[in-house]
Amino acid sequence: MPKWYDRRDFVFVEFCVEDSKDVHVQFDKSKFEFSCVSRRDKYYNDIELFGEIDPKQSKHSRTDRSVQCCLQKAEVGKPWPRLTKEKAKFKWLSVDFNNWRDWDDDSDEDMSSFDNFSEMMNNMGGDDLPDFDGAEEEKGL
């Protein structure tokens, strides 16, 4: 089941699939497509997005436990109340409440936590994730 959360510049989607193989992620301005194979199952999602993204700046990273997608918003600073264009509740999609933040409560401290998260994501996926402002890139890992 994919989980998602919103930030000022990005929308993050995590597909919790252990030992994924043949991962395919295709970004388009108003949708993205995800597919992979796990030990026994095949997964496919074609998601029409709430807002537009920058396909060239959107990236993904695979780990042993999941595939993380980082969608660069085309309109930075505009909140997304939902991931999908369609206003419906889907059983296959959930909000990642552990990472969700209320933008009214954002502070410099919250942004520093975000920088740490983006640095962690960069370390996990290497070249598959965007270079976030303020995050230092470690070479040679």
Side-chain angles (χ1 to χ4, degrees):
M1 172 185 298
K3 300 184 296 186
W4 80 282
Y5 65 97
D6 183 37
R7 288 291 192 266
R8 289 189 189 280
D9 299 343
F10 302 94
V11 172
F12 293 91
V13 182
E14 179 181 19
F15 293 91
C16 300
V17 180
E18 289 189 28
D19 299 324
S20 60
K21 295 180 182 173
D22 301 327
V23 174
H24 172 77
V25 180
Q26 178 73 38
F27 298 105
D28 196 5
K29 276 176 42 172
S30 60
K31 70 177 185 170
F32 84 103
E33 185 178 299
F34 168 82
S35 65
C36 74
V37 178
S38 72
R39 293 178 192 161
R40 291 177 250 144
D41 300 312
K42 292 182 181 180
Y43 297 90
Y44 176 80
N45 287 92
D46 187 7
I47 301 173
E48 292 282 332
L49 298 169
F50 172 80
E52 290 191 355
I53 62 171
D54 181 344
K56 293 180 181 177
Q57 296 299 315
S58 298
K59 306 291 180 190
H60 74 280
S61 174
R62 183 199 159 284
T63 68
D64 290 340
R65 303 195 74 163
S66 67
V67 177
Q68 307 265 342
C69 297
C70 178
L71 312 177
Q72 170 70 56
K73 290 181 179 179
E75 196 171 338
V76 173
K78 181 179 178 185
W80 286 23
R82 61 187 178 276
L83 178 65
T84 61
K85 182 177 185 177
E86 187 178 335
K87 190 175 186 177
K89 184 167 181 150
F90 297 101
K91 292 180 180 181
W92 55 266
L93 179 65
S94 68
V95 173
D96 185 349
F97 288 107
N98 290 333
N99 288 304
W100 193 270
R101 301 270 189 280
D102 185 2
W103 285 16
D104 294 337
D105 296 336
D106 270 355
S107 66
D108 291 338
E109 189 175 308
D110 289 335
M111 289 312 290
S112 111
S113 296
F114 177 69
D115 289 341
N116 290 339
F117 175 78
S118 61
E119 193 171 313
M120 178 189 75
M121 291 289 288
N122 281 333
N123 289 337
M124 286 174 29
D127 297 331
D128 290 339
L129 292 173
D131 188 17
F132 295 100
D133 291 336
E136 295 180 8
E137 188 175 349
E138 292 184 29
K139 302 281 184 193
L141 291 178

